[in-house]
Amino acid sequence: MRLARFAAATVVFAALLIPTTANAAPAVAPGDTVTVPVRDALAGLPVRAEDRTGYERSKFRHWIDADRDGCNTRAEVLKAEAVIAPTQGVRCVLSGGEWYSPYDDRYIDGPRGLDIDHLVPLAEAWDSGAYAWTAKKREDYANDLGDDRALIAVSAASNRSKADQDPSTWQPPAEGYRCQYATDWVADKTRWELSIDAVEQAALTEVLSHCPDVPVTVALAR
């Protein structure tokens, strides 16, 4: 995996909704880590209508080179997720290598056939709360290397088929990946404290009703 799973102490996700008292679990804050069964995590997401007013992709600055090592976020994901490592040239130009695209259960030779997908698309994030964020927080979201689920290398064809759709209108063509996709979607929305709409909630509930109720561990974004 790209980064070690979060090692901070875990707390019950329901504490997000419970006021702190002498007998209650402590409230959690950005930077804390929570662990909860995925169906409970889904139930904990606020349900609100979505509004795309004012959205522009340019409001989410990407791809940046956060650690100034010469490789931007796209390249960092490609290097981390390669099944066979690519060759890295001048200015972090990558060549060769092989990747697995879980959306459509395909292996891809070379980086040109790949897109880096925001699991929860930028437009969907905007609809779900990012419209109220600062420019810096939107940049952090668009370049999130702090959670392996946020950005994923997939075939360009599958990513462009998905576009900015949520699980109510798009599911991975590879049916065997759909439980993982729904679980990761809920984890990503939990991490960034984003809302879901009623139709999205129904779609996720239906998918997850056929999946193991696995625990998800999430570090809440700062």
Side-chain angles (χ1 to χ4, degrees), residues 40-188:
D40 289 348
L42 173 59
L45 293 173
V47 181
R48 302 190 185 103
E50 295 182 352
D51 184 356
R52 196 155 295 185
T53 302
Y55 170 72
E56 295 176 7
R57 189 173 175 83
S58 61
K59 292 182 177 180
F60 293 80
R61 180 173 173 245
H62 63 291
W63 306 110
I64 65 170
D65 180 7
D67 59 6
R68 300 183 180 180
D69 67 350
C71 295
N72 65 17
T73 303
R74 172 185 164 80
E76 298 284 11
V77 176
L78 287 172
K79 290 197 301 176
E81 296 189 358
V83 177
I84 298 175
T87 299
Q88 180 175 325
V90 177
R91 298 181 181 178
C92 204
V93 174
L94 304 179
S95 59
E98 183 178 70
W99 287 262
Y100 176 69
S101 171
Y103 285 179
D104 45 4
D105 190 25
R106 293 175 54 198
Y107 285 90
I108 309 290
D109 292 324
R112 291 188 177 181
L114 293 159
D115 282 351
I116 304 304
D117 183 42
H118 293 91
L119 184 78
V120 175
L122 301 181
E124 171 68 21
W126 177 273
D127 299 348
S128 306
Y131 61 84
W133 292 352
T134 64
K136 179 61 169 63
K137 187 168 182 178
R138 286 195 291 267
E139 177 182 302
D140 292 344
Y141 179 85
N143 298 276
D144 186 5
L145 295 175
D147 189 310
D148 295 344
R149 296 163 288 206
L151 298 169
I152 182 171
V154 295
S155 71
S158 66
N159 185 47
R160 294 166 198 183
S161 170
K162 174 189 173 188
D164 59 8
Q165 298 178 83
D166 72 25
S168 69
T169 56
W170 189 88
Q171 291 287 330
E175 293 186 10
Y177 188 67
R178 291 180 179 178
C179 285
Q180 188 67 56
Y181 182 72
T183 298
D184 291 352
W185 183 280
V186 171
D188 203 24

